């Protein structure tokens, strides 16, 4: 299993065309699958070391994270998949994963990615002052 994160991203993107990504998402009861991070940034400060993938499970699903990671590895042939589960991720991580440079690979319904992105970025902006206040309190100021 030796490949680069960029080649892996291209292979995964090819899985969108072939329907393999949709089958994987249906199998794992996902409504959203996104690639983010250094592999999709135009000029990262250093070459990507892994493939950052974010997913969102449908409500009430079993959320077999290990099974999903194994299936992503099988699909891409790359064991450097870094999975972020949006259902349980923090505000900042979610906003970064769904940021402007992210690439949606699967959305169960049209515009689902856009709606999730707007919600994540809005929540991050509206709660920023609370995170700053926490930092000040921890610093004793």
């Amino acid at each position: 299993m030796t490949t680069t994160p960029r080649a892996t991203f291209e292979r995964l993107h090819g899985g969108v065309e072939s329907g393999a990504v949709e089958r994987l998402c249906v199998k794992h009861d996902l409504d959203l699958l996104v690639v983010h991070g250094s592999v999709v940034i135009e000029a990262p400060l250093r070459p990507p070391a892994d493939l950052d993938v974010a997913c969102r499970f449908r409500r009430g699903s079993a959320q077999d994270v290990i099974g999903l990671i194994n299936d992503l590895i099988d699909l891409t042939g790359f064991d450097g998949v870094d999975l972020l589960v949006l259902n349980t991720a923090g505000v900042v991580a979610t906003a970064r994963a769904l940021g402007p440079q992210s690439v949606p690979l699967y959305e169960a319904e049209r515009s689902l990615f856009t709606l999730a992105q707007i919600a994540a970025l809005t929540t991050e902006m509206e709660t920023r002052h609370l995170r700053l206040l926490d930092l000040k309190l921890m610093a004793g100021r």
Side-chain angles (χ1 to χ4, degrees):
M1 268 193 216
T2 57
T3 187
T4 67
R6 289 198 196 283
T8 302
F9 173 59
E10 294 302 322
R11 190 174 299 123
L12 195 53
H13 210 272
V16 172
E17 303 293 323
S18 72
V21 169
E22 182 175 4
R23 287 189 295 278
L24 177 129
C25 291
V26 169
K27 174 183 176 182
H28 288 282
D29 213 9
L30 303 178
D31 64 3
L32 192 59
L33 187 70
V34 177
V35 173
H36 64 100
S38 59
V39 80
V40 295
I41 295 172
E42 295 245 349
L45 297 175
R46 61 177 188 246
D50 60 7
L51 179 69
D52 296 306
V53 178
C55 73
R56 189 171 74 184
F57 290 93
R58 292 182 190 269
R59 290 179 200 247
S61 68
Q63 297 190 17
D64 179 13
V65 175
I66 302 298
L68 175 57
I69 291 171
N70 286 334
D71 285 348
L72 283 166
I73 290 169
D74 290 343
L75 179 63
T76 63
F78 182 65
D79 62 359
V81 175
D82 186 8
L83 184 67
L84 175 72
V85 179
L86 295 169
N87 305 70
T88 56
V91 171
V92 175
T94 300
R96 292 223 172 109
L98 298 177
Q101 293 180 315
S102 300
V103 177
L105 298 178
Y106 175 79
E107 50 187 340
E109 298 171 22
R110 190 171 181 198
S111 301
L112 191 60
F113 171 74
T114 303
L115 294 171
Q117 184 181 54
I118 290 168
L121 295 174
T122 301
T123 302
E124 191 276 331
M125 286 183 338
E126 289 178 346
T127 60
R128 185 174 297 144
H129 71 283
L130 297 172
R131 286 187 303 283
L132 292 173
L133 180 59
D134 279 345
L135 289 173
K136 286 180 183 177
L137 290 171
M138 286 189 288
R141 291 191 252 161

